[in-house]
């Protein structure tokens, strides 16, 4: 690569470069890896998503077949828990065709050990027809551009080489600046940062258009913010700790907080109805996770009881994952409000 490059190209190279990319060279999940995700914490997470899938399928008018799509399935744990839950809805269990969108051959192998599915490099290659799409901690991995307002107007942050290491520099912004909301563009004060994730927005437009054309629903779970705002959220995590964003490229996970307000706009512009976002804690409680924890605890040993209580706390409590993590849904308006959401959410 010839520098300097945008933050988006840097992120993309670090995460998904065919030879050196972080996700292509390892399984980053779990206690021995770099980070842990909700489905890896407890089966209860996937079970609640499974119930959500069943409810949506019924509200969609029970289409057969129905494509069950997951973006960035990691080890496949979430999908395995969803599929197990579908056995309480036999009609759906036989109607689903599973499609996994995965960039990492290493993770695709783990998924293939646990699931019968078709694999795709991106959502556009998933065959048409009614679908139910799930994405947990996928959108945070999509590349962002970063901008800074200066006295001389907007500049974009680029990454270049300095003293054999990577360093940032400001230069004239690329055209993606135009996708920043007008309000943010116009009201920024010198020094303020703004971020934009063009591939996340494009993907939401594609998903929204498919919802409108084919009928479908999408559930997006991630950490992020609910209103457009200024700031800088690019972060690296390695071995369960924050790490330097420019240290050892390709050896640490790189993510940015998801702008849910922007995702909502892209989904609605394409013609989908959007619900939420609500917090992960609220969503899981509305889906009945507390009852499920009680049920599981009923047959459990004292040690398992403790583990179930700890997992429930971690998934739903503030300030654990319960608040920073948000859940957003999109559907056809005619389907009505999916389970887990409330008219008053929108915050
Ligand atoms: N959803 C899983 C894993 C989250 S990690 C869980 O909750 O445990 C992010 C996942 O997205 C990994 O499977 C990673 O390989 C995949 N991924 C990241 N960027 C991608 C891209 N651009 N295209 C397809 N998959 C991608």
């Amino acid at each position: 690569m010839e520098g300097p490059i945008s933050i988006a190209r840097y992120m993309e190279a670090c995460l998904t470069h065919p030879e050196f990319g972080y996700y292509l060279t390892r399984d980053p999940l779990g206690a021995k890896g770099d980070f842990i995700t909700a489905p890896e914490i407890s089966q209860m997470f996937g079970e609640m998503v499974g119930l959500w899938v069943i409810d949506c399928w019924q509200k969609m008018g029970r289409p057969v077949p129905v494509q069950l799509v997951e973006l960035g399935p990691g080890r496949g744990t979430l999908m395995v828990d969803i599929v197990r839950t579908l056995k309480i809805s036999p009609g759906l269990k036989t109607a689903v065709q599973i499609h996994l969108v995965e960039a990492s051959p290493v993770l695709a192998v783990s998924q293939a050990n646990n699931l019968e599915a078709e694999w795709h490099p991106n959502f556009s290659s998933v065959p048409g027809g009614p679908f139910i799409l799930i994405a947990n901690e996928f959108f945070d991995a999509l590349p962002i551009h970063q901008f800074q307002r200066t006295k001389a107007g907007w500049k974009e942050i680029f990454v270049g080489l300095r003293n054999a290491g990577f360093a940032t520099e400001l230069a004239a912004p690329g055209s993606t600046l135009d996708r920043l909301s007008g309000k943010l563009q116009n009201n920024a004060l010198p020094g303020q940062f703004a971020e934009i994730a063009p591939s996340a927005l494009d993907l939401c437009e594609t998903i929204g258009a498919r919802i409108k054309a084919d009928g479908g629903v999408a559930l997006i779970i991630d950490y992020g913010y609910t209103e457009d705002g200024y700031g800088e959220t690019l972060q690296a995590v390695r071995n369960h700790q924050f790490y330097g964003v420019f240290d050892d490229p390709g050896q640490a996970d790189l993510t940015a907080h998801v702008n849910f307000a922007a995702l909502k706009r892209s989904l609605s512009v394409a013609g989908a109805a959007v619900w939420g976002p609500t917090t992960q804690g609220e969503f899981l409680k509305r889906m009945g996770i507390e009852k499920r924890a009680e049920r599981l605890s009923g047959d459990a040993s004292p040690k398992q009881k403790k583990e179930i209580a700890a997992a429930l706390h971690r998934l739903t409590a503030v300030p654990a994952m319960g608040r920073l993590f948000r859940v957003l849904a999109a559907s056809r308006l005619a389907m009505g409000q999916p389970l887990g959401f409330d008219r008053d959410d929108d915050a």
Side-chain angles (χ1 to χ4, degrees):
M1 242 177 286
E2 283 173 32
I5 56 173
S6 67
I7 293 283
R9 270 199 76 194
Y10 178 75
M11 255 183 109
E12 212 178 315
C14 288
L15 293 178
T16 55
H17 183 280
E19 209 175 328
F20 309 111
Y22 175 75
Y23 281 113
L24 282 85
T25 50
R26 79 204 68 218
D27 172 352
L29 290 152
K32 291 209 183 98
D34 290 323
F35 60 94
I36 192 149
T37 56
E40 301 294 333
I41 290 172
S42 164
Q43 69 183 68
M44 295 187 289
F45 181 80
E47 289 168 349
M48 295 305 111
V49 176
L51 294 178
W52 189 88
V53 166
I54 293 171
D55 177 65
C56 284
W57 181 65
Q58 290 170 351
K59 287 180 173 148
M60 286 161 73
R62 302 171 181 257
V64 179
V66 61
Q67 322 285 9
L68 183 54
V69 185
E70 187 177 356
L71 309 180
R75 290 178 173 169
T77 309
L78 172 56
M79 188 55 90
V80 167
D81 291 336
I82 293 174
V83 169
R84 194 182 56 253
T85 308
L86 298 190
K87 69 172 185 275
I88 63 173
S89 177
L92 176 53
K93 178 130 200 195
T94 50
V96 291
Q97 295 172 347
I98 300 175
H99 295 272
L100 303 176
V101 175
E102 177 55 70
S104 164
V106 179
L107 289 171
V109 167
S110 313
Q111 295 153 17
N113 286 335
N114 300 314
L115 289 161
E116 234 174 82
E118 252 181 48
W119 278 263
H120 302 270
N122 50 56
F123 175 63
S124 302
S125 67
V126 173
F131 67 94
I132 301 174
L133 177 146
I134 311 291
N136 185 59
E137 288 209 44
F138 172 77
F139 278 86
D140 62 55
L142 298 183
I144 57 157
H145 289 261
Q146 287 188 321
F147 304 96
Q148 188 173 28
R149 181 78 192 195
T150 71
K151 287 196 177 116
W154 283 104
K155 301 281 178 200
E156 181 162 352
I157 301 175
F158 290 89
V159 185
L161 277 174
R162 197 181 305 145
N163 304 329
F166 288 105
T168 57
E169 54 193 75
L170 291 176
S175 60
T176 48
L177 176 64
D178 301 343
R179 301 185 75 167
L180 193 64
S181 85
K183 207 169 121 200
L184 285 187
Q185 274 196 58
N186 297 329
N187 298 342
L189 301 172
Q192 282 183 314
F193 293 93
E195 296 178 339
I196 190 104
S199 47
L201 301 184
D202 292 344
L203 176 57
C204 282
E205 285 188 22
T206 306
I207 293 170
R210 286 278 288 267
I211 287 174
K212 190 177 173 198
D214 291 356
V217 292
L219 189 72
I220 297 173
I221 307 165
D222 226 308
Y223 45 97
Y225 46 101
T226 57
E227 278 172 47
D228 288 310
Y230 299 109
E232 207 219 320
T233 71
L234 185 64
Q235 64 184 40
V237 166
R238 188 176 186 180
N239 199 12
H240 303 271
Q241 310 222 309
F242 288 114
Y243 201 75
V245 165
F246 301 110
D247 299 344
D248 304 314
Q251 300 300 317
D253 189 31
L254 270 188
T255 60
H257 286 206
V258 170
N259 180 347
F260 281 99
L263 299 195
K264 277 173 78 163
R265 278 195 296 273
S266 296
L267 288 160
S268 352
V269 160
V274 289
W275 313 92
T278 187
T279 59
Q280 176 173 303
E282 269 307 309
F283 174 79
L284 293 174
K285 285 182 197 164
R286 289 172 184 159
M287 294 307 305
I289 196 169
E290 287 159 321
K291 280 224 171 71
R292 181 63 181 144
E294 244 172 65
R295 260 298 287 286
L296 285 172
S297 293
D299 318 320
S301 68
K303 181 172 172 273
Q304 288 169 325
K305 278 195 173 78
K306 262 197 191 151
E307 285 166 4
I308 294 165
L312 177 66
H313 185 268
R314 200 160 164 199
L315 291 173
T316 61
V318 178
M321 297 179 89
R323 177 138 188 94
L324 181 60
F325 277 77
R326 316 265 171 182
V327 187
L328 173 70
S331 70
R332 276 184 174 166
L333 189 60
M335 192 193 88
Q337 183 171 280
L339 277 185
F341 294 87
D342 189 275
R343 249 179 316 132
D344 302 327
D345 283 336
D346 207 39

